[in-house]
Amino acid sequence: MAPLKPNPIKATRFDAKPEAFQVYTERQLDKIDALTLLTEAQRFEMRVVAHVLPFRVNRYVIDNLIDWHNIPDDPIFRLVFPQREMLAKDDFDQMAAILRSTDDRSLILDKASRIRKKLNPHPAEQQTLNVPYENDEPIDGVQHKYHETVLFFPSQGQVCHSFCTFCFRWAQFIGDKNLRFSCKEADRLREYLARHKNVSDLLITGGDPMVMKTDHLAVYLESLIHPELNHIQTIRIGTKSLSFWPQRYVSDEDSDSLLELLEKIIKAGKHVAIMAHYNHWREMTTPLAREAIRRLRATGVVIRTQSPLLNHINNDPDVWIRMWREQVRLGLVPYYMFVERDTGARRYFEVPLVRAWEVYRRAIQRVSGLARTVRGPSMSTGPGKIEIQGVSEIQGEKVFVLRFIQARNPEWVQRPFYARFDPDATWLEHLKPAFGEKQFFFQEAYETMCRNKFAAETH
Ligand SMILES: *Cc1c(COP(=O)(O)O)cnc(C)c1O
């Protein structure tokens, strides 16, 4: 764990004046000065991949989080800048050929969308199984998979300050952006929650809800302070902004009003949890990032952290040890370690399940109990969140010991089950039940759920 070298592009700057949010997408790749450190060929490769996978990066990330002495290996560089190996060779070659031979946008987009379709853009049956229906109408922007927790995707929150190369959530939907629409959406959400008294948690997610101006966020949050919604005890907000734009809490025009809004929701009796997405300790090292954490915590919110385990970025117990220790020191609560999902550039980022377990275990062994609140490594699959508890040998058979941390059917939770050990498996679909059993205990019930949902929707 070598100390960081000074950044050759620009020293960290920190003052409380509003700073322009400057963002680059695939069309502005040539405008990023730092990329002149790469060869022409490398820049072209980047453009090829950026036509298929999400690419968006802002000035703060470029200037403060990437160690430009260490590219292309720098973890944050890999986190936001597309790399050739993120596409299958054939897909890469075909896209490269098209870009070399034409400027025709429609041809390029058509190729891009064909490649994307192959990358499982909607994993874990999210669209089909999780969206609730009322009077035969889907409730847009709502997913309800686990009894206690409703997910809400506000239409203006479906973008992020920068994109992570491993993300495919941007494929979900692009919404309307006006305030009237938000009010309507907020009303529908409130009606849905009011009818579901078993729900205790609302998880506002995206994209990144914190890209919203405070005015917009207030429409959603304030509508939750309603006597009908006393059963909603926790409001979680999923965000990467503490890494990608800490200015949101420090120096944006509406930073102060955002913090006041959060305080108001807490005073109204709700628990507000910021579910902060961190992939690497580097993201917490800038003075701005620390100031953002300090100011957020002063409102009374609890910041919990989560991240997938990613090859090329954090596939190393030392990275997690340092990250979790740093989080605890800053008053953050480590919550989830995820297994990289079966979508997008998974081939580039995935690690075998056995490796994920080893990284988790090696890291957990060396942090204090206060960092052992983190659960994982966990796969977010159709039936639920499945944790790899370990590798064991039972009656001569080497097995993975698994359990649901969360499941579509609460009965499945905390019941250990076993899969035949497979050193190459990276996802549930690769696992076979141990001891010669035909299927996992939940499989039949899950398939019935899928069939019923399908039947309900096609009538
Ligand atoms: C992880 C997750 C939640 C939250 O589950 P908790 O166990 O309450 O953290 C809710 N909905 C979906 C779809 C999830 O993947």
Side-chain angles (χ1 to χ4, degrees), residues 152 154-156 182 185-186 212 216-224:
F152 177 57
S155 53
Q156 302 79 14
S182 309
E185 223 177 33
M212 283 191 270
H216 273 98
L217 201 56
V219 171
Y220 297 113
L221 292 182
E222 285 173 358
S223 82
L224 301 169

Side-chain angles (χ1 to χ4, degrees), residues 130 143 145-146 149 151 201 203 236 335-336 338 375 380 385 405-406:
N130 298 354
Q143 291 188 17
K145 177 170 180 177
Y146 304 126
T149 309
L151 255 53
D201 285 40
L203 172 44
R236 304 189 216 176
Y335 187 56
Y336 278 134
F338 291 118
R375 293 177 302 166
S380 293
K385 282 193 172 67
I405 314 178
Q406 183 59 281

